[in-house]
Amino acid sequence: MKVDTRGVAVREAWWGKVGEARHLGLVAALVLLAIVGVVTKPDNFATASNLVSILSLAATIGVITVGMTFVIIGGGIDLSVGAIMALASVWATTLATQSYGPFVMVVCAVLVGTGAGLVNGLLISYGRLVPFIATLAMLVAARGLAQRMSDRKTQLIQSGNTAIVELSTTRLLGIPLLVYIFALVVVLGWVLLNRTTFGRRTYAVGGNPEAARLAGINVRRHTMLLYALSGLCCGIAAILIMARTTTGSSTHGDLYELDAIAAVIIGGTLLTGGRGTIIGSILGLLIFTLITNLFILNGLNTSDQLIAKGLIIVVAVLLQRRNLKERAP
Amino acid sequence: MKVDTRGVAVREAWWGKVGEARHLGLVAALVLLAIVGVVTKPDNFATASNLVSILSLAATIGVITVGMTFVIIGGGIDLSVGAIMALASVWATTLATQSYGPFVMVVCAVLVGTGAGLVNGLLISYGRLVPFIATLAMLVAARGLAQRMSDRKTQLIQSGNTAIVELSTTRLLGIPLLVYIFALVVVLGWVLLNRTTFGRRTYAVGGNPEAARLAGINVRRHTMLLYALSGLCCGIAAILIMARTTTGSSTHGDLYELDAIAAVIIGGTLLTGGRGTIIGSILGLLIFTLITNLFILNGLNTSDQLIAKGLIIVVAVLLQRRNLKERAP
Amino acid sequence: MLVIRGVVKQFPGVRALDGVDLDVRAGEVHCLLGQNGAGKSTLIKVLAGVHQPDQGTIEFGGRQVRPSSPIDAIRLGIATIYQELDLVDGLSVAENILLGHEKSSLGFVHRSATNKAATAVLARLGHPEIRPSTEVGRLSPAAKQVVSMARALSHDARLIIMDEPSAALAHDEVANLFRIIRELTAQGVAVVYISHRLEEIREIGDRVTVLKDGRTVAVGLPAHETPTSQIVSLMTGRNVEYVFPPRGSGRGREVLRVEDLSSPGAFAGVSFSVHAGEIVGLAGLVGSGRSEILEAVYGSRPSSGRVLLEGKQIRSAVAAVRQGMGLAPEERKAQALLLDQSVTANITLGTLPGFSRFGWLDRARERAEAKRLVDTLDIRPHDPERPIKTLSGGNQQKAVLARWLLDERKLLLLDEPTRGVDVGARAELYAVIRKLAEQGIGVLLVSSEVPEVLGLADRVLVLREGRVIHESAAEGLDEHRVLDMIMEGSAA
Amino acid sequence: TSNEPAAAPSSAAPAPAPAASGNDQPGQKVVIGFSAPAADHGWIAAIAKNAEATAKQYTDIEFKPVEPTNDINAQISAVESLIAAKVAALVILPNDGQQLNQVALQATAAGIPVINLDRVFPDKLAYRTWVGGDNYGMGVAAGHHVGKKLKDKGVANPVIVEIQGIATLPLTQDRSKGFADALKTYGFSVTAKQDAKFTVETGNQVATSLLQAHKKIDALWNHDDDQGVGVLAAIKEAGRSEFIMVGGAGSLNAMKEIQSGTSVLEATVTYSPTMASSAIKLARLIAQGKGMSDLVENQVPQSITLASETITKENVDKYLALGFES
Ligand SMILES: Nc1ncnc2c1ncn2[C@@H]1O[C@H](COP(=O)(O)OP(=O)(O)OP(=O)(O)O)[C@@H](O)[C@H]1O
Ligand SMILES: Nc1ncnc2c1ncn2[C@@H]1O[C@H](COP(=O)(O)OP(=O)(O)OP(=O)(O)O)[C@@H](O)[C@H]1O
Ligand SMILES: O[C@@H]1[C@@H](O)[C@H](O)OC[C@H]1O
Ligand SMILES: [Mg+2]
Ligand SMILES: [Mg+2]
């Protein structure tokens, strides 16, 4: 009997995963960008404080990207992430909420995020709306609600509740707490996706919903949970953005949806669902963050930044295009 | 030759198509919105001038929506439409271009649009980038380029070239010329999609690229052409926006991609490709435009508008959800 | 154990089941027969909880049941192997097998237990070479079929339904399948078995139920005693001779010439030619590289060597079609069909230029031609405007073949052309293929059914592990000898 | 129906006091249309609120705001609908003056006086009166504040950083030009500039990386106090305090920071959204054919430019009442 030569790579550890062929292109792109950074700004780029800065910048949207990865692998899309984050940040920083102290604010942000995600999930699973439309509607409505609640004002975190701001200012081993939160979310997301039935079923639901249903998976409920999970991530992201900006605002998270989706897709997850990795998404996101950081360090103006960004995206993806070719037209 | 007994149902006129079951929900939503308009603003809504105003508002993005419908049916997506339109409008209104007169400006807009679309197409077909990423890169790069060309300034159409502005100001039977252009693009798009081999192949390429390839269709070339077509539509849209605003600007068409995609999807086209109609997309777009118009007339404040808009989208789509259910998770 | 009475299932425009009765006893193999579109798959989907019946009763294990979802059916102890593959490409073999009932605690998957369980089932199926960690998307159709079976076996089911499990299997694999079925029935498990290969029914079946146009026309006939002719006439309402059309008068000029064709990992050093009016059959085991040879000839798989169609080299599928080739691929759903489109659009896809002038479609002619083929090949229902996804598997297969019958092709590549096609239609298909040859077309045929290759082809190439080990006229070749060559390589 | 204008809303928003002159006598009833960009940040929100609050003060104004939007195409449509409704006067804050020029011309041609607020139409035929802030002047004020401080400290070759608002707005370019021109008089120039998008978050992001790019900064000018909240958060997070910072527009937050005396933000240059109140008042007068009672002229002037004032710890108390909540 023949031996299947294709089934070798099995029991790799996580560092093996990062180095996996499919992520090699991304890692190469990151390394290239880092080299550019070191060469152009030797004194500023490779400093501990700049690296911490980059991670702090990536943290908020990074948390959202984790949730987005689940949704996209599960065959959906979530356009409402930025708006949900804004709504959660506003709700958690109203005078009423703030009067209960930081713990309640955190709980509030998480609940609002998860709740809004759940509404998305219900509309999509049981209301049978296409995800693009349901979450677009949520985007518009959540921003509207956030504006209404805040009366379009930026809501400052008050002096009694600075515990939240400390997530950004307090450092452990030189690294702000919010970076640890980001890391924790990534690790938990990775475990959930790769080590639990929930994660494995997410691939099934996205890759072949009909097959998943025939295998006895409750596809609707699962889909609903994916959006709730994404909402939960938005709630956590809301806490991070509150910590960073010391505010809640209906303008937070503008266009996050595009950035998060782009990171996920650059990371090798297919928009059609059923395939993808958290590590890829995070690498994709870091590429974006690194690009912006490099541009600002080098004092490029926005127009040139945009042109260069377009080119870099193309190059980064061409570097890893081999993995994508299976599905390319 | 045998007579196909069902041939009757086939030879429907276009009004039959609009009334088709799958569009009924959309038509119902439109009618509902119109009723709301008539009831809330009896003197303003159902006037000829308001209807013309709605169509003028819809024209620019409408032309883009036609191209987007092709791309999405063909299994792709085009995020760069707004940016390409901006770039075309800027290029066509530089002092250099303007010195050659309106005809050259029109040609320039069309060529720039088509050219940028072609670049998308090449990256996707032959560079094997996923469409989301390729067109996202084009989005950023084209906006950057437009900013650079215009030095971030709005470029006015000069007095010698008002022929272009007249597309918006000259009326035939009370209707501005640009509405006729919009109508023409829709009709041509419909014919191309429904009456030619190109259209038929578009469905094949989007529905099952592997099957299309094995049936002898040059999937890559076809895919490339779809993006060029979308770019062409952006070029035409650039002319319309130049006419309406009397300017070329790098800020034109901001977020048009979301609106156009949303219109196409509300119209019943699947993001996964292989299905959809131009008529549906246009109906979807008119729903959006009508909502905006109603808000304008009723002077709602923004936050409430957004909330209401979210709800209306959900309701409009629930009205037609039956057609989508097959693919819902 | 299972008693079905008067089940009715209505789809928009079609009454797929129109009063079906069925009795299945514990420990028996109950065969379900019927023409393409008779309602077999629909019936088992009702049992599996995929569809809900409009009328009728189902009694299982002495209880009235009404499975409202696949989970329900699985919990009742009904496992199903579906006609269309139902696997998740992105997951591993093991994950697919245990999907929905993973080995886990507190939601965490036990990976070693999962792999162990999968290895055990695969070994039981006689396929230890399929590794549990391989991604399913990388497997061949046959290997996928094995995984599908493994999944059904991994449930502790009291009733296992198999919808054409052998359609994608070659001879030795079918023997393996039968061994498993016997094991199962010995343990008291009931099996409902669907197949269009009547000789299989005879070999494995205990009793037979025949469906026709959504109704039961015979319940529980003894499988061994009932004459084939009776079964066939019950199914089709007429007498069909299960014979191959007489071979042609002779071969014409050379249409296809293949020289030293190789594709790494699939086959090597393959040379042969096909003449006008000739049907050349490729016989071999699953994985012997037959499909790959067809793909390479068609220009859609990278290869070295030369492929000449009437002297012109073919380098891409686009060129192949333009020069007059046509391919009916192996996996109809993945490789051939536009599921959302009408039967007409599917049939005319390969020959659109013939229906257009300057890109403008002549839709009336298109419809008329499609209608003609739908009638000729008896694609049911006889409505070319219906979305093809609402057709039964066998009827979809006929539509795939119809695609290349519209104009005069020079060479047809047919990969498992009769997969899932019923007895009656098969005879018609054979006749159609032979007629095409007689009109001067060359045909390259791949089939896992050796009798089909021997009966239909003029010349046979036998493949083993990617190499041609034998070539001769089909006339006089004996099935057993071919099987020996295929399996042991004893030959040449 | 009182002779007095309706009471100002009790909200903390700085409702401008009614002018103490004859102009406030109720006159002929007028419909005033109002169109502005989407109120997605503090300054524009304050504009919309001030316009509405002022309109409510007059019993003879019927206020007709239309959907605020950031899409030019939709704003054109909105103005068209106001023209069709035959309002007596139009107050327009265009997303882009050039792009809305034509539709303003249409309004004027239809006999509707257009009061142009803030972002200016290029064509004087397109509007009756312009009222707005002095963007160039704002840059100049900020430049002088920074220049003088650094000169006094005796800093040579100072590192001066600028965080702009939305780069594609003409007003951003005016502000930067004013800033550069004023600095030049001290022999200084801007070391680095980046644009943000008027939001807290973008201000925060841009500032975070800018602070990495420049390890030592002498002065920072941030064009907009809305985004300034984020800029300040980034500065605190980085633990930097070696420089002076100047804000722009004059939000309440910024004023409180200045008042505290402990913040790097030591001044802000005004660009007050109260201009919306003035615009409504002017629209009313123009529609009623009145002049301004404090001026000798029979008609409202053609343009009014607010001065950009510099708020520092010394004079902040005087301005607190005018600060808008960002
Ligand atoms: N989802 C559906 N919608 C509409 N009609 C359907 C659908 N599924 C099946 N049918 C129709 O029901 C009838 C029975 O189909 P079914 O698949 O049960 O046949 P079958 O006996 O399994 O045939 P085959 O041997 O070809 O697999 C056919 O006429 C088919 O076209
Ligand atoms: N049971 C299996 N397990 C793992 N890999 C397999 C198995 N069967 C086939 N393969 C792989 O798939 C490749 C192609 O097989 P494929 O089935 O397409 O060949 P074929 O000769 O066309 O047979 P078929 O008649 O099934 O089409 C083989 O090279 C082999 O590596
Ligand atoms: O929107 C702008 C505002 O934010 C800025 O501060 O001043 C000018 C306005 O147009
Ligand atoms: Mg079947
Ligand atoms: Mg094969």
Side-chain angles (χ1 to χ4, degrees):
Chain A
M1 280 265 139
K2 270 186 211 158
V3 175
D4 183 353
T5 49
R6 278 175 255 216
V8 199
V10 197
R11 276 209 163 251
E12 300 172 291
W14 66 268
W15 57 86
K17 297 256 171 196
V18 178
E20 237 177 276
R22 58 178 157 187
H23 297 141
L24 262 183
L26 294 172
V27 173
L30 268 180
V31 170
L32 264 177
L33 285 173
I35 292 175
V36 171
V38 172
V39 169
T40 55
K41 286 280 150 180
D43 305 335
N44 302 78
F45 180 77
T47 61
S49 92
N50 190 45
L51 296 182
V52 165
S53 260
I54 292 174
L55 288 177
S56 308
L57 282 174
T60 320
I61 197 158
V63 169
I64 286 181
T65 302
V66 171
M68 187 69 88
T69 307
F70 275 87
V71 169
I72 295 184
I73 291 178
I77 195 151
D78 190 349
L79 297 179
S80 64
V81 286
I84 290 181
M85 182 185 88
L87 179 61
S89 82
V90 164
W91 207 314
T93 54
T94 56
L95 288 183
T97 318
Q98 291 213 37
S99 68
Y100 294 101
F103 179 73
V104 171
M105 289 168 68
V106 166
V107 171
C108 171
V110 167
L111 286 183
V112 170
T114 314
L118 207 59
V119 172
N120 277 335
L122 285 170
L123 286 174
I124 293 163
S125 300
Y126 298 96
R128 290 179 173 165
L129 292 188
V130 272
F132 192 96
I133 296 300
T135 58
L136 181 71
M138 176 59 81
L139 186 176
V140 196
R143 281 233 183 267
L145 200 57
Q147 287 184 9
R148 197 155 220 281
M149 281 194 112
S150 65
D151 198 16
R152 295 175 202 138
K153 291 181 184 126
T154 304
Q155 300 178 157
L156 278 177
I157 293 179
Q158 313 202 295
S159 48
N161 297 321
T162 41
I164 289 190
V165 179
E166 279 160 23
L167 292 178
S168 167
T169 50
T170 307
R171 289 163 185 247
L172 210 74
L173 309 172
I175 298 171
L177 293 181
L178 63 77
V179 173
Y180 291 98
I181 297 182
F182 171 33
L184 189 70
V185 170
V186 172
V187 170
L188 289 180
W190 187 89
V191 169
L192 186 62
L193 188 61
N194 293 288
R195 290 288 178 267
T196 69
T197 53
F198 182 85
R200 303 325 286 171
R201 288 175 178 194
T202 302
Y203 284 94
V205 166
N208 191 343
E210 183 60 15
R213 199 171 75 93
L214 295 179
I217 293 173
N218 190 334
V219 174
R220 291 205 174 163
R221 199 186 56 197
H222 195 95
T223 302
M224 188 187 71
L225 290 177
L226 289 175
Y227 288 91
L229 180 67
S230 173
L232 167 64
C233 289
C234 297
I236 299 174
I239 299 165
L240 303 190
I241 199 76
M242 280 153 54
R244 265 191 81 74
T245 64
T246 71
T247 64
S249 160
S250 60
T251 64
H252 285 337
D254 194 30
L255 297 187
Y256 269 28
E257 56 278 7
L258 271 189
D259 286 349
I261 296 171
V264 171
I265 293 180
I266 288 210
T269 297
L270 296 175
L271 253 191
T272 42
R275 289 223 160 137
T277 63
I278 297 250
I279 295 171
S281 303
I282 297 301
L283 291 174
L285 176 67
L286 288 180
I287 290 184
F288 276 126
T289 318
L290 210 57
I291 294 178
T292 311
N293 180 262
L294 277 182
F295 286 151
I296 296 186
L297 289 187
N298 283 292
L300 240 73
N301 79 44
T302 3
S303 317
D304 296 338
Q305 272 184 35
L306 290 174
I307 300 176
K309 198 168 187 171
L311 294 179
I312 293 178
I313 294 176
V314 169
V315 173
V317 179
L318 280 179
L319 277 175
Q320 66 141 354
R321 131 195 113 163
R322 320 190 93 244
N323 331 309
L324 297 169
K325 107 179 138 198
E326 301 158 48
R327 290 296 302 224
Chain B
M1 279 258 130
K2 271 185 211 157
V3 177
D4 178 356
T5 47
R6 274 170 241 243
V8 198
V10 182
R11 284 214 160 251
E12 297 172 294
W14 65 269
W15 58 85
K17 297 255 170 193
V18 177
E20 239 177 90
R22 56 179 159 186
H23 296 141
L24 263 182
L26 296 171
V27 173
L30 270 180
V31 169
L32 262 176
L33 286 173
I35 291 175
V36 172
V38 171
V39 170
T40 56
K41 288 281 151 176
D43 305 335
N44 305 80
F45 179 78
T47 61
S49 89
N50 189 48
L51 297 183
V52 164
S53 166
I54 292 175
L55 289 176
S56 311
L57 179 57
T60 319
I61 197 158
V63 169
I64 288 180
T65 302
V66 170
M68 186 69 87
T69 307
F70 275 87
V71 169
I72 295 184
I73 291 178
I77 195 152
D78 189 349
L79 298 180
S80 63
V81 286
I84 291 182
M85 181 184 89
L87 179 62
S89 81
V90 164
W91 206 314
T93 54
T94 56
L95 288 184
T97 318
Q98 291 212 36
S99 68
Y100 294 101
F103 180 72
V104 171
M105 290 167 69
V106 166
V107 172
C108 171
V110 168
L111 285 184
V112 170
T114 314
L118 208 57
V119 172
N120 278 336
L122 285 169
L123 286 174
I124 292 163
S125 299
Y126 297 97
R128 289 181 174 163
L129 293 187
V130 272
F132 192 96
I133 296 300
T135 59
L136 182 73
M138 176 58 80
L139 187 173
V140 256
R143 281 231 184 269
L145 199 58
Q147 286 185 14
R148 203 152 214 283
M149 282 196 115
S150 64
D151 197 17
R152 295 174 181 167
K153 298 198 173 97
T154 303
Q155 301 177 158
L156 272 179
I157 293 180
Q158 312 202 295
S159 49
N161 296 321
T162 41
I164 290 189
V165 179
E166 279 160 22
L167 292 177
S168 167
T169 51
T170 308
R171 289 165 184 242
L172 210 74
L173 307 173
I175 299 171
L177 291 181
L178 64 78
V179 173
Y180 290 98
I181 297 182
F182 170 34
L184 189 69
V185 171
V186 171
V187 170
L188 288 179
W190 188 87
V191 167
L192 185 62
L193 188 60
N194 294 287
R195 290 286 179 269
T196 70
T197 53
F198 184 87
R200 193 57 77 68
R201 290 182 172 142
T202 303
Y203 284 101
V205 165
N208 189 342
E210 176 67 4
R213 196 173 66 90
L214 292 179
I217 294 172
N218 192 333
V219 175
R220 290 202 176 167
R221 199 186 58 195
H222 195 91
T223 303
M224 190 188 69
L225 291 178
L226 288 176
Y227 289 91
L229 181 67
S230 174
L232 167 64
C233 289
C234 297
I236 299 174
I239 300 166
L240 302 191
I241 199 80
M242 281 153 56
R244 247 177 101 70
T245 65
T246 72
T247 63
S249 161
S250 61
T251 61
H252 282 331
D254 193 30
L255 296 188
Y256 271 25
E257 57 278 8
L258 272 190
D259 286 351
I261 297 171
V264 171
I265 293 181
I266 288 210
T269 299
L270 295 175
L271 255 190
T272 41
R275 281 180 79 165
T277 63
I278 298 252
I279 295 172
S281 302
I282 298 300
L283 289 174
L285 176 68
L286 287 180
I287 289 182
F288 275 124
T289 319
L290 212 56
I291 295 178
T292 309
N293 180 261
L294 283 180
F295 286 148
I296 291 177
L297 292 182
N298 284 292
L300 243 71
N301 87 47
T302 352
S303 328
D304 295 341
Q305 259 175 46
L306 291 176
I307 301 175
K309 207 167 194 164
L311 294 179
I312 293 177
I313 295 175
V314 169
V315 172
V317 181
L318 281 179
L319 277 175
Q320 67 141 353
R321 131 195 113 163
R322 318 190 93 245
N323 330 311
L324 298 169
K325 100 180 144 196
E326 302 156 48
R327 290 296 304 225
Chain C
M1 169 184 230
L2 174 73
V3 182
I4 293 179
R5 287 289 171 263
V7 165
V8 172
K9 177 69 192 174
Q10 177 86 35
F11 288 118
V14 182
R15 211 172 171 85
L17 299 180
D18 190 14
V20 170
D21 301 334
L22 180 69
D23 292 281
V24 180
R25 299 178 193 142
E28 76 163 337
V29 178
H30 196 109
C31 298
L32 203 52
L33 294 178
Q35 278 183 288
N36 295 133
K40 306 179 293 294
S41 298
T42 307
L43 177 61
I44 65 114
K45 282 184 183 162
V46 165
L47 281 176
V50 177
H51 293 319
Q52 276 64 56
D54 300 322
Q55 283 173 40
T57 59
I58 304 170
E59 207 187 292
F60 184 65
R63 262 189 325 129
Q64 193 83 0
V65 297
R66 207 183 157 77
S68 63
S69 71
I71 317 176
D72 267 12
I74 292 169
R75 290 208 184 112
L76 286 170
I78 303 176
T80 310
I81 302 170
Y82 295 91
Q83 181 173 10
E84 302 294 345
L85 289 174
D86 54 348
L87 301 176
V88 181
D89 280 350
L91 293 181
S92 72
V93 167
E95 286 170 333
N96 264 287
I97 291 175
L98 292 157
L99 189 61
H101 59 122
E102 298 85 354
K103 304 269 175 213
S104 66
S105 49
L106 301 171
F108 285 86
V109 179
H110 295 307
R111 294 208 297 167
S112 54
T114 301
N115 283 345
K116 215 192 247 159
T119 311
V121 204
L122 289 167
R124 189 169 153 209
L125 277 170
H127 280 277
E129 88 288 358
I130 301 183
R131 309 210 20 186
S133 55
T134 309
E135 217 180 86
V136 155
R138 300 183 169 180
L139 296 181
S140 70
K144 284 182 180 173
Q145 183 68 52
V146 173
V147 176
S148 235
M149 286 193 283
R151 174 193 287 175
L153 287 187
S154 72
H155 291 282
D156 262 334
R158 288 188 289 159
L159 171 67
I160 298 188
I161 306 171
M162 305 184 177
D163 195 353
E164 303 194 27
S166 58
L169 297 183
H171 193 272
D172 59 327
E173 305 274 342
V174 175
N176 222 336
L177 174 64
F178 287 177
R179 182 178 54 76
I180 311 279
I181 292 181
R182 290 198 186 96
E183 267 174 46
L184 287 169
T185 49
Q187 294 158 12
V189 175
V191 172
V192 172
Y193 188 87
I194 301 176
S195 172
H196 289 294
R197 301 180 184 171
L198 295 185
E199 64 282 4
E200 290 177 7
I201 306 301
R202 230 167 253 306
E203 191 179 339
I204 190 76
D206 294 311
R207 295 191 304 147
V208 174
T209 290
V210 182
L211 290 186
K212 179 165 165 36
D213 298 335
R215 283 173 208 271
T216 324
V217 290
V219 188
L221 300 176
H224 299 280
E225 280 98 79
T226 317
T228 304
S229 58
Q230 187 189 341
I231 293 180
V232 172
S233 69
L234 276 171
M235 281 167 60
T236 60
R238 62 201 159 105
N239 286 321
V240 177
E241 297 228 17
Y242 186 65
V243 290
F244 295 98
R247 291 205 165 76
S249 33
R251 57 189 213 178
R253 77 216 133 76
E254 185 180 83
V255 182
L256 176 76
R257 179 177 199 87
V258 174
E259 291 171 3
D260 197 25
L261 199 63
S262 301
S263 178
F267 57 86
V270 173
S271 303
F272 64 93
S273 60
V274 178
H275 291 253
E278 186 186 37
I279 302 175
V280 175
L282 299 182
L285 278 188
V286 166
S288 58
R290 298 160 303 167
S291 296
E292 285 84 349
I293 292 176
L294 291 200
E295 283 172 20
V297 167
Y298 201 57
S300 69
R301 156 180 280 267
S303 55
S304 62
R306 298 214 302 164
V307 175
L308 301 167
L309 184 71
E310 295 192 327
K312 282 196 203 113
Q313 189 144 2
I314 300 296
R315 289 201 178 84
S316 72
V318 179
V321 171
R322 202 177 297 136
Q323 305 292 331
M325 276 200 221
L327 167 72
E330 183 174 19
E331 284 187 86
R332 58 176 170 258
K333 214 168 165 182
Q335 300 180 297
L337 295 178
L338 305 176
L339 287 172
D340 288 326
Q341 302 295 316
S342 67
V343 173
T344 301
N346 272 281
I347 290 181
T348 58
L349 186 66
T351 46
L352 279 178
F355 294 98
S356 62
R357 280 181 90 189
F358 306 116
W360 187 272
L361 276 175
D362 181 348
R363 301 204 310 152
R365 203 155 64 75
E366 189 192 5
R367 271 196 304 273
E369 285 285 285
K371 176 70 180 149
R372 184 175 60 76
L373 280 168
V374 162
D375 291 340
T376 316
L377 298 181
D378 193 21
I379 299 176
R380 296 187 190 194
H382 286 215
D383 173 8
E385 293 313 307
R386 205 170 239 286
I388 202 157
K389 70 174 159 212
T390 65
L391 264 56
S392 78
N395 284 304
Q396 290 177 356
Q397 182 64 35
K398 291 193 234 167
V400 171
L401 291 175
R403 178 175 296 166
W404 300 114
L405 306 184
L406 274 174
D407 61 0
E408 302 268 295
R409 296 274 115 191
K410 293 171 188 151
L411 178 70
L412 287 189
L413 312 177
L414 307 179
D415 201 350
E416 311 283 4
T418 58
R419 177 186 274 193
V421 174
D422 70 46
V423 200
R426 230 172 238 242
E428 285 158 27
L429 275 185
Y430 294 152
V432 169
I433 294 172
R434 177 50 72 189
K435 205 171 121 212
L436 287 172
E438 262 158 24
Q439 286 162 7
I441 292 175
V443 177
L444 191 53
L445 169 79
V446 168
S447 169
S448 294
E449 293 176 54
V450 175
E452 189 168 283
V453 178
L454 294 183
L456 193 56
D458 297 302
R459 206 145 45 83
V460 177
L461 304 184
V462 180
L463 278 130
R464 201 182 138 74
E465 292 175 3
R467 292 185 180 274
V468 180
I469 55 166
H470 175 89
E471 176 173 354
S472 71
E475 197 101 60
L477 258 185
D478 157 277
E479 184 179 344
H480 292 288
R481 194 166 149 231
V482 174
L483 282 175
D484 283 347
M485 290 192 276
I486 286 178
M487 298 210 263
E488 273 99 46
S490 64
Chain D
T1 71
S2 116
N3 273 356
E4 296 296 316
S10 57
S11 108
S21 69
N23 273 169
D24 285 336
Q25 292 307 316
Q28 163 205 352
K29 182 130 185 140
V30 289
V31 182
I32 297 179
F34 179 76
S35 171
D40 51 11
H41 74 293
W43 192 89
I44 293 271
I47 284 279
K49 255 176 256 166
N50 289 346
E52 184 166 3
T54 305
K56 275 213 191 109
Q57 290 176 328
Y58 294 93
T59 50
D60 53 7
I61 293 184
E62 188 194 323
F63 189 55
K64 233 175 141 59
V66 290
E67 179 188 29
T69 168
N70 287 337
D71 179 13
I72 292 292
N73 211 348
Q75 197 178 14
I76 291 174
S77 246
V79 175
E80 279 173 354
S81 82
L82 289 172
I83 299 174
K86 303 200 169 59
V87 293
L90 257 172
V91 176
I92 306 178
L93 198 174
N95 274 288
D96 177 323
Q98 317 216 42
Q99 298 181 35
L100 255 78
N101 192 57
Q102 170 165 274
V103 72
L105 272 173
Q106 272 171 39
T108 308
I112 301 174
V114 172
I115 291 75
N116 181 192
L117 177 58
D118 187 18
R119 308 178 187 172
V120 66
F121 295 123
D123 191 342
K124 287 202 173 170
L125 293 176
Y127 60 92
R128 162 67 181 77
T129 288
W130 175 78
V131 54
D134 182 4
N135 285 298
Y136 182 82
M138 221 179 141
V140 170
H144 278 311
H145 184 88
V146 165
K148 194 164 168 323
K149 280 276 161 136
L150 296 182
K151 191 114 230 168
D152 290 351
K153 276 200 225 161
V155 192
N157 293 325
V159 176
I160 301 175
V161 174
E162 187 183 352
I163 300 180
Q164 305 169 302
I166 297 172
T168 46
L169 291 178
L171 62 89
T172 296
Q173 292 153 26
D174 290 347
R175 289 176 189 184
S176 284
K177 178 139 196 338
F179 189 53
D181 288 352
L183 286 178
K184 211 184 292 165
T185 63
Y186 300 86
F188 299 156
S189 64
V190 172
T191 316
K193 65 177 171 224
Q194 283 290 326
D195 51 285
K197 294 196 179 113
F198 285 151
T199 66
V200 179
E201 192 183 347
T202 54
N204 184 268
Q205 286 167 352
V206 168
T208 299
S209 285
L210 266 179
L211 291 172
Q212 289 297 339
H214 304 280
K215 292 293 179 202
K216 193 188 153 293
I217 296 176
D218 294 294
L220 184 156
W221 182 40
N222 166 56
H223 287 203
D224 177 81
D225 287 340
D226 284 313
Q227 68 191 24
V229 177
V231 174
L232 282 170
I235 293 171
K236 277 181 201 140
E237 205 260 345
R240 301 275 290 267
S241 59
E242 80 279 9
F243 53 87
I244 58 170
M245 171 172 165
V246 177
S251 75
L252 201 56
N253 271 329
M255 292 188 199
K256 284 187 182 151
E257 286 277 336
I258 293 168
Q259 196 179 30
S260 76
T262 55
S263 171
V264 284
L265 184 68
E266 59 165 56
T268 187
V269 289
T270 62
Y271 194 86
S272 176
T274 51
M275 63 177 76
S277 302
S278 305
I280 295 292
K281 287 186 178 228
L282 295 175
R284 170 175 169 271
L285 293 178
I286 290 170
Q288 292 175 340
K290 295 183 192 160
M292 293 171 75
S293 52
D294 283 349
L295 301 183
V296 276
E297 267 65 39
N298 274 334
Q299 294 292 326
V300 169
Q302 198 273 341
S303 84
I304 297 172
T305 309
L306 312 187
S308 181
E309 297 151 62
T310 308
I311 304 176
T312 60
K313 192 164 188 309
E314 284 66 49
N315 64 6
V316 61
D317 299 332
K318 185 166 96 194
Y319 286 92
L320 272 170
L322 289 178
F324 63 95
E325 289 185 59
S326 61

